[in-house]
């Protein structure tokens, strides 16, 4: 019986990980759904499927058994973020970073959770830390602009986004930024 349950749990976790092979577990998720196509793995879809409690329990069990496994914590963070459970996701991203702080993608995910959870200043700090490791990190720069907007610094956001567009002019994921920049400028002119 113990072996059967253990085998099922192992199979479930293995299946979950195989199902996510197409996207790296640390893929950062930007925070602005209004900028359609601005980056991949943003917020979860408008109505994501319900969180499978068995999937969550299996990953939590694995995390409890493997205290030094950063990757399972990233998977937990991703799962929870996909279901808009930002505070819980942030907890697991923090645990992953405590085990392996040299993960700029995970730091961007943490920052996105913080911004989505109403803590844009804290999110901005995480994006800055990611950019210290990788100054050209596209998704950190994109999200930094979002956090700057959320903290009432639209001109700084525009500057970040314009530099991003100069660096990646043909990136289809960033096409929505030009419209956002134009809206910020129009709002500034009308005030």
């Amino acid at each position: 019986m113990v072996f059967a349950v253990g085998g099922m749990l192992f199979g479930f976790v293995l299946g979950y990980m195989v199902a996510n092979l197409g996207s790296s577990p640390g893929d950062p998720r930007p925070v602005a759904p209004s900028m359609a196509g601005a980056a991949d793995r943003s917020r979860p879809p408008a109505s994501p499927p319900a969180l499978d409690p068995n999937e969550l329990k299996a990953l939590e069990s694995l995390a409890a058994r493997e205290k030094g496994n950063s990757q399972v914590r990233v998977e937990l963070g991703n799962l929870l973020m996909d279901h808009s459970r930002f505070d819980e996701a942030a907890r697991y991203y923090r645990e992953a970073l405590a085990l392996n702080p040299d993960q700029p993608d995970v730091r961007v995910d943490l920052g996105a959770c913080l911004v989505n959870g109403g803590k844009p200043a804290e999110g901005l700090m995480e994006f800055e830390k990611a950019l210290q490791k990788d100054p050209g990190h596209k998704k950190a720069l994109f999200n930094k602009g979002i956090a700057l907007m959320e903290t009432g610094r639209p001109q700084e956001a525009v500057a970040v986004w314009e530099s991003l567009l100069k660096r990646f002019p043909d990136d289809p994921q960033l096409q929505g930024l030009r419209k956002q920049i134009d809206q910020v400028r129009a709002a500034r002119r009308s005030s």
Side-chain angles (χ1 to χ4, degrees):
M1 177 79 163
V2 172
F3 290 111
V5 172
M8 287 180 4
L9 182 62
F10 177 74
F12 178 77
V13 171
L14 184 61
Y16 176 78
M17 290 179 177
V18 167
N20 287 308
L21 283 178
S23 58
S24 93
D27 279 352
R29 299 144 189 228
V31 295
S34 63
M35 293 183 207
D40 56 81
R41 292 184 71 193
S42 179
R43 281 188 181 178
S47 35
L51 178 62
D52 180 352
N54 294 326
E55 182 178 12
L56 181 59
K57 285 178 187 176
L59 286 170
E60 288 175 332
S61 175
L62 185 60
R65 282 194 321 274
E66 297 185 20
K67 302 274 188 221
N69 187 335
S70 171
Q71 187 58 43
V72 73
R73 283 154 179 78
V74 172
E75 290 294 331
L76 272 161
N78 291 346
L79 176 66
L80 292 163
M81 188 174 189
D82 286 345
H83 291 85
S84 301
R85 292 170 64 173
F86 302 116
D87 289 339
E88 293 169 89
R91 174 186 149 216
Y92 285 109
Y93 290 138
R94 282 186 176 111
E95 287 181 14
L97 288 165
L99 294 168
N100 180 5
D102 192 26
Q103 300 182 80
D105 289 343
V106 176
R107 197 156 300 279
V108 172
D109 281 349
L110 172 57
C113 283
L114 292 167
V115 171
N116 278 301
K119 301 170 188 164
E122 290 178 44
L124 182 59
M125 289 189 309
E126 295 302 326
F127 302 136
E128 291 290 353
K129 289 177 187 176
L131 290 165
Q132 287 173 359
K133 292 280 183 192
D134 181 0
H137 196 290
K138 178 172 61 170
K139 292 173 186 166
L141 289 166
F142 172 81
N143 282 293
K144 178 180 177 181
I146 299 292
L148 287 166
M149 289 291 292
E150 292 289 319
T151 57
R153 297 157 59 188
Q155 290 311 110
E156 291 176 63
V158 165
V160 168
W161 287 337
E162 285 181 329
S163 71
L164 187 58
L165 287 170
K166 284 180 187 171
R167 212 178 274 180
F168 304 100
D170 299 323
D171 190 324
Q173 295 177 326
L174 298 175
Q175 295 310 307
L177 280 181
R178 180 55 48 206
K179 183 178 177 184
Q180 267 318 95
I181 291 169
D182 292 344
Q183 288 174 348
V184 169
R185 288 196 172 130
R188 186 165 186 208
R189 283 192 297 267
S190 67
S191 56

